[in-house]
C-alpha cells in the first residue's frame, strides 16, 4: 500500500489548511483519506547544512527502507511468521504511520538535525550487520541439518544405509560378504534374472529387497569375498550401483544423535531469529518514519523558508491519483514555494518526487 507524505503551505492557519484539505479531497470527492503527521519544530541550523542534509536524506531513506524490507522478508520468508508479525510494539505499520508521534525521548528536538540523522544511520548499520550475522548463523545450522536429512531421506543412491540395513540382513564372515545394490525399478526384473550369473560363487537366491523409493530398489546379494571386485565391475556394465557400505550400530546412533541435536539447535536459532527480527523491525520501521519526518521538515524549510509554516500530512490516495494531484496543485499553488527561486522559477529539486508540485511530497510504500 502506498502513501503520500506531504507538506502543504498554510492557508492562513493550520486548522484552515487541514479543513480545506479534508473538504476538497475527502468530503467532496473521496479521493483520499488524510491523517495529520506530527512533526515538532526541529533545530534547523544553517541553509548550507540543510542543503547538504537534503541530499543525504534521500540516500538515507533508501537505505533504511532497504533494511526494513530485509527484516520483513526474514520474518515472513525465513521464520515463517505472518506479515502481521511485522509491527511496532504491537501497532500495525499502517496505524503507526497514520498516527505518528515524534519520539522526543529518543530523538530530542533540541538536537541538531544532522546529529539525529547520524544516530539513526549508525543504529541502522548495526541492525543490518546484526541481521546478516544472525541469518548466517541460522543458515549454517540449517545447511548442516539438511545434509544430515539428505543422508536419511534422500534417494537410495545417496541415502545413509545404516538407517535401513539391519544386522540380520547381512552376512559378514571370513569367506562370505553381503553387498548392497541399488537397482532401478524398471530394471528389477532384469536384476532377478541375471544377478546369480554375473560372476561365479554367488549365493543362489540371496537377493532380497530391503527398501524402495520412487526410482530405485535396494537389494542385497551374498557372495564369496574373492569375487566382490569382479561382481562390482559386472554391475556397472548392467547399470546397477553397488553401494560402499559397512554396517555400524555406533555410526547409526551417532547420526541419530547428530540429527536430534541439529534439529533442536535449528529450532532454537529460528525462534531466536524471529524474536530478534520482530524487535529489530519495530526499531527499524520507527527509525525509517522518523527519517521521513526529518526529510519532510527539511524540504519544507527549504521550500517555504523560516519560520516553519506548513501542515504535514499523510495521504492515502484512492484510485483517482491524478485528480488528487491536480486538486492539491490548484488549492496550494498560491501559497507554494516562494523561496529559493532562480530566474523567476522555483527550484524543482526541493521536495522533488518524480514530478514537480507546488508543495513538498514524496511517496512511501508499506508493502
Amino acid at each position: 500500500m502506498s502513501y503520500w507524505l506531504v507538506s502543504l503551505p498554510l492557508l492562513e492557519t493550520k486548522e484552515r489548511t487541514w479543513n480545506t484539505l479534508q473538504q476538497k479531497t475527502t468530503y467532496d470527492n473521496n479521493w483520499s483519506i488524510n491523517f495529520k503527521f506530527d512533526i515538532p519544530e526541529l533545530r534547523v541550523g544553517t541553509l548550507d547544512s540543510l542543503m547538504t542534509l537534503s541530499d543525504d536524506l534521500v540516500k538515507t531513506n533508501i537505505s533504511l527502507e532497504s533494511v526494513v524490507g530485509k527484516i520483513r522478508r526474514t520474518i515472513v520468508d525465513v521464520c515463517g511468521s505472518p506479515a502481521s508479525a511485522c509491527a511496532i510494539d504491537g501497532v500495525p505499520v499502517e496505524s503507526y504511520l497514520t498516527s505518528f508521534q515524534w519520539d522526543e525521548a529518543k530523538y530530542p528536538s533540541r538536537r541538531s538535525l544532522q546529529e539525529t540523522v547520524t544516530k539513526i544511520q549508525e543504529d541502522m548499520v548495526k541492525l543490518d550487520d546484526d541481521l546478516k550475522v544472525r541469518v548466517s548463523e541460522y543458515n549454517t545450522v540449517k545447511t548442516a541439518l539438511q545434509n544430515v536429512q539428505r543422508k536419511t531421506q534422500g534417494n537410495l543412491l545417496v541415502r545413509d544405509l545404516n538407517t535401513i540395513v539391519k544386522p540380520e540382513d547381512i552376512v559378514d564372515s571370513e569367506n562370505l560378504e553381503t553387498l548392497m545394490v541399488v537397482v532401478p525399478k524398471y530394471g528389477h526384473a532384469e536384476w532377478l534374472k541375471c544377478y546369480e550369473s554375473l560372476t561365479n560363487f554367488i549365493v543362489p537366491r540371496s537377493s532380497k529387497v530391503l527398501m524402495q523409493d520412487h526410482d530405485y530398489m535396494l537389494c542385497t546379494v551374498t557372495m564369496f569375498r574373492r569375487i566382490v571386485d569382479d561382481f562390482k565391475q559386472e554391475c556397472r556394465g548392467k547399470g546397477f550401483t553397488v553401494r560402499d557400505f559397512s554396517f555400524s550400530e555406533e555410526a547409526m546412533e551417532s547420526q541419530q544423535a547428530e540429527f536430534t541435536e541439529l534439529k533442536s539447535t535449528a529450532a532454537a536459532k529460528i525462534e531466536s531469529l524471529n524474536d530478534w527480527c520482530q524487535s529489530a523491525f519495530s526499531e527499524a520501521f520507527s527509525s525509517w518514519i522518523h527519517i521521513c519526518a526529518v526529510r519532510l521538515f527539511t524540504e519544507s524549510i527549504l521550500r517555504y523558508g523560516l519560520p516553519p509554516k506548513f501542515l504535514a500530512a499523510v495521504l492515502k490516495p484512492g484510485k483517482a491519483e491524478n485528480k488528487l494531484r491536480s486538486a492539491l496543485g490548484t488549492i496550494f499553488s498560491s501559497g507554494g514555494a516562494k523561496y529559493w527561486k532562480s530566474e523567476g522559477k522555483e527550484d524543482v529539486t526541493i521536495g522533488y518526487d518524480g514530478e514537480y508540485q507546488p508543495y513538498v511530497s514524496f511517496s512511501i510504500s508499506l508493502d
Side-chain angles (χ1 to χ4, degrees), residues 138-158:
Y138 168 68
N139 284 336
T140 298
V141 175
K142 180 183 176 182
T143 299
L145 179 61
Q146 288 174 335
N147 289 337
V148 173
Q149 287 177 319
R150 194 174 295 114
K151 292 178 181 178
T152 59
Q153 299 176 6
N155 68 43
L156 291 170
L157 289 174
V158 297

Side-chain angles (χ1 to χ4, degrees), residues 4 25 29-32 317-327:
W4 297 352
T25 64
N29 297 292
N30 194 30
W31 288 334
S32 67
K319 295 181 179 179
E321 291 190 11
N322 290 336
K323 291 181 179 180
L324 177 60
R325 283 290 187 200
S326 178

Side-chain angles (χ1 to χ4, degrees), residues 3-4 49 82 117 119 143 148 176 183 197-198 238 246 270 276 295 315 337 348:
Y3 289 83
W4 297 352
S49 67
V117 171
K119 182 181 186 309
T143 299
V148 173
L176 295 176
V183 178
S197 59
L198 288 178
K238 293 284 188 178
S246 178
I270 198 68
W276 181 88
R295 184 183 174 195
L315 276 59
V348 299

Side-chain angles (χ1 to χ4, degrees), residues 93-109:
V93 291
E94 184 176 3
S95 298
Y96 182 85
L97 174 63
T98 56
S99 60
F100 174 75
Q101 296 288 320
W102 184 267
D103 190 340
E104 182 67 23
K106 192 171 185 179
Y107 309 112
S109 55

Side-chain angles (χ1 to χ4, degrees), residues 54-264:
S54 175
D55 293 335
D56 189 30
L57 282 169
V58 176
K59 300 173 186 176
T60 301
N61 180 73
I62 294 172
S63 176
L64 263 66
E65 185 176 8
S66 174
V67 173
V68 169
K70 288 179 188 177
I71 298 174
R72 179 192 284 114
R73 288 191 296 274
T74 302
I75 291 173
V76 176
D77 298 338
V78 178
C79 300
S81 295
S84 59
C86 301
I88 303 86
D89 296 328
V91 179
V93 291
E94 184 176 3
S95 298
Y96 182 85
L97 174 63
T98 56
S99 60
F100 174 75
Q101 296 288 320
W102 184 267
D103 190 340
E104 182 67 23
K106 192 171 185 179
Y107 309 112
S109 55
R110 66 180 181 276
R111 180 187 291 161
S112 73
L113 290 176
Q114 185 59 64
E115 285 182 280
T116 297
V117 171
T118 299
K119 182 181 186 309
I120 292 176
Q121 289 172 332
E122 291 173 349
D123 290 344
M124 288 306 99
V125 168
K126 185 176 184 304
L127 269 186
D128 195 26
D129 289 343
D130 286 351
L131 176 64
K132 292 175 183 176
V133 170
R134 290 172 181 272
V135 171
S136 177
E137 289 177 349
Y138 168 68
N139 284 336
T140 298
V141 175
K142 180 183 176 182
T143 299
L145 179 61
Q146 288 174 335
N147 289 337
V148 173
Q149 287 177 319
R150 194 174 295 114
K151 292 178 181 178
T152 59
Q153 299 176 6
N155 68 43
L156 291 170
L157 289 174
V158 297
R159 185 167 177 172
D160 189 336
L161 300 184
N162 272 302
T163 61
I164 301 172
V165 181
K166 298 179 174 58
E168 57 266 26
D169 296 325
I170 58 177
V171 175
D172 186 13
S173 66
E174 181 179 353
N175 296 314
L176 295 176
E177 181 178 352
T178 299
L179 300 183
M180 302 294 153
V181 184
V182 178
V183 178
K185 275 189 172 181
Y186 65 81
H188 186 241
E190 176 65 19
W191 164 259
L192 292 177
K193 287 180 183 179
C194 72
Y195 82 89
E196 292 182 359
S197 59
L198 288 178
T199 63
N200 294 323
F201 304 110
I202 304 294
V203 177
R205 296 183 295 279
S206 62
S207 180
K208 63 178 181 177
V209 177
L210 298 185
M211 188 178 184
Q212 56 182 300
D213 58 24
H214 183 71
D215 298 309
Y216 301 101
M217 305 178 82
L218 179 65
C219 304
T220 61
V221 59
T222 302
M223 65 197 69
F224 278 80
R225 287 184 180 276
R226 65 175 183 267
I227 52 92
V228 165
D229 290 340
D230 293 338
F231 182 83
K232 288 181 179 181
Q233 185 173 344
E234 293 296 325
C235 280
R236 283 194 291 269
K238 293 284 188 178
F240 307 137
T241 303
V242 179
R243 292 285 308 272
D244 291 329
F245 172 72
S246 178
F247 180 79
S248 169
E249 283 194 39
E250 292 79 6
M252 182 175 63
E253 292 172 358
S254 174
Q255 181 176 291
Q256 184 59 44
E258 181 185 13
F259 174 76
T260 301
E261 182 180 356
L262 284 172
K263 188 176 181 180
S264 175

Side-chain angles (χ1 to χ4, degrees), residues 13-68:
T13 65
K14 284 190 176 184
E15 183 178 1
R16 181 166 181 257
T17 305
W18 173 254
N19 291 338
T20 301
L21 175 67
Q22 288 287 81
Q23 189 67 44
K24 298 296 184 180
T25 64
T26 301
Y27 303 146
D28 291 349
N29 297 292
N30 194 30
W31 288 334
S32 67
I33 302 174
N34 309 319
F35 309 89
K36 291 181 179 179
F37 192 67
D38 176 54
I39 306 177
E41 188 168 329
L42 302 173
R43 186 177 166 189
V44 175
T46 65
L47 174 59
D48 286 343
S49 67
L50 282 182
M51 294 294 287
T52 301
L53 184 61
S54 175
D55 293 335
D56 189 30
L57 282 169
V58 176
K59 300 173 186 176
T60 301
N61 180 73
I62 294 172
S63 176
L64 263 66
E65 185 176 8
S66 174
V67 173
V68 169

